[in-house]
Amino acid sequence: MDLKNKIAVVTGAGSGLGAACSRALAARGARVFGIGRNKPHLLAVGESLGKYFVPVQLDLTDEPAVSRWVQELFTGTVFPSVLINNAGKGWFGDIEAITIEE
């Protein structure tokens, strides 16, 4: 897939695999919207990627905020070509003790 001038959204982009995916996408010419909760981490990734990376401080557990962001940014013919949903949240314990909501 030719990624030049395509839009990519990467969650968990402030570190680890999300930052690595952001770097790889930017290297192929994609404009990466990197989502994460930690603004300093996002800004550090952005410093290394320059104009190809747009840091987005956003808590994905805040569904109304995510919906607003998507509706404001992706309208008409502007939409992402790539989504890497890398963000995660973990609960640790016996599977029987973890609720569906968790």
Side-chain angles (χ1 to χ4, degrees):
M1 173 180 203
D2 179 17
L3 295 176
K4 189 169 178 121
N5 299 318
K6 300 287 185 182
I7 295 174
V9 175
V10 178
T11 66
S15 63
L17 185 59
C21 289
S22 297
R23 286 185 185 90
L25 290 163
R28 295 188 61 191
R31 184 167 186 216
V32 179
F33 288 85
I35 299 174
R37 291 179 295 164
N38 188 308
K39 190 172 184 175
H41 288 177
L42 292 171
L43 293 175
V45 173
E47 285 179 25
S48 68
L49 299 181
K51 68 179 183 175
Y52 292 104
F53 186 82
V54 179
V56 179
Q57 184 179 17
L58 188 61
D59 182 348
L60 295 176
T61 64
D62 184 348
E63 292 179 37
V66 172
S67 183
R68 277 191 307 276
W69 178 75
V70 168
Q71 289 175 6
E72 290 171 7
L73 188 61
F74 301 121
T75 60
T77 60
V78 178
F79 55 90
S81 297
V82 176
L83 169 63
I84 298 181
N85 192 15
N86 171 67
K89 189 170 186 178
W91 280 268
F92 302 94
D94 294 334
I95 190 73
E96 299 84 13
I98 298 175
T99 67
I100 294 295
E101 292 79 19
E102 291 173 325

